[in-house]
Amino acid sequence: MDRLKLATVWLGGCSGCHMSFLDLDEWLIELHRRADLVYSPLVDTKTYPDHVDVVLVEGALCNTDHLDMIRIIRNRTRILVAFGDCAVTGNVTALRNPLGSAESVLQCAYLDNADLLAQVPSEPGIVPPLLDRVLPVHAVVPVEYYLPGCPPPADRIRALLARLLDGQTPQLTASQIKFG
């Protein structure tokens, strides 16, 4: 059997889902025996590869770079998993949505409430423009599986990945499907 090509991606979120992934502890050794981690903030790979089998996408879509990245990911990946509540619903990252457009949020944060040197950060090519609304992953691209939790506990991540490694459909039930 070919080794599974696994990727993890961190968009607009806190990295808590990746910390929970690391909480797989010894099971990471078993995962390494059966899968290659081909892209992740945990490895030094700059370009998202072609022909990825499974990707865990942490975080919501907050800026134009996230939009570009999620489209690349979707085009190059067989199974996309919305990894954690931010990817599933927008969660904490979407708390800015009721405040209005990106412009009004930036105005409030960087001009109205500034103590010193009030200015909106903008450096073309370095600071990506914010989207007017933070979006969950499924609002932009199709998602095969949802892994809720803030962050999802390690046993929930393992349950999903173990089934995918065995070529089975993940079936999260009872406490495995709760949010928060």
Side-chain angles (χ1 to χ4, degrees):
M1 176 176 155
D2 289 339
R3 291 172 58 83
L4 187 84
K5 288 176 145 183
L6 175 66
T8 71
V9 174
W10 177 16
L11 300 176
C14 70
S15 84
C17 296
H18 277 83
M19 295 297 100
S20 202
F21 179 84
L22 292 175
D23 285 342
L24 289 168
D25 298 330
E26 294 86 11
W27 196 76
L28 287 169
I29 296 167
E30 174 63 22
L31 180 60
H32 175 67
R33 286 186 185 119
R34 301 186 60 197
D36 292 320
L37 188 60
V38 297
Y39 185 89
S40 175
L42 307 173
V43 298
D44 189 27
T45 305
K46 305 296 184 219
T47 304
Y48 193 84
D50 290 322
H51 312 295
V52 174
D53 294 306
V54 177
V55 63
L56 304 176
V57 177
E58 172 183 355
L61 306 165
C62 304
N63 61 48
T64 57
D65 282 3
H66 295 159
L67 282 179
D68 294 341
M69 185 65 179
I70 200 64
R71 290 179 178 130
I72 289 168
I73 291 165
R74 181 69 275 180
N75 287 333
R76 297 179 183 178
T77 307
R78 187 169 52 90
I79 297 172
L80 192 151
V81 179
F83 182 31
D85 289 350
C86 290
V88 174
T89 67
N91 203 31
V92 173
T93 52
L95 287 174
R96 74 171 169 91
N97 287 349
L99 300 175
S101 69
E103 183 178 322
S104 65
V105 170
L106 292 169
Q107 170 80 30
C108 178
Y110 290 101
L111 301 176
D112 298 346
N113 292 304
D115 290 333
L116 298 170
L117 303 172
Q119 67 180 25
V120 174
S122 64
E123 186 64 38
I126 295 175
V127 179
L130 291 179
L131 301 176
D132 277 332
R133 297 190 53 77
V134 172
L135 303 168
V137 174
H138 72 270
V140 177
V141 297
V143 169
E144 279 72 33
Y145 300 106
Y146 297 87
L147 191 59
C150 184
D155 65 328
R156 191 176 302 166
I157 299 166
R158 180 178 174 173
L160 179 123
L161 288 176
R163 300 236 356 149
L164 289 172
L165 285 167
D166 291 337
Q168 300 173 346
T169 300
Q171 295 181 1
L172 301 177
T173 59
S175 67
Q176 297 289 29
I177 58 172
K178 76 176 202 170
F179 289 85

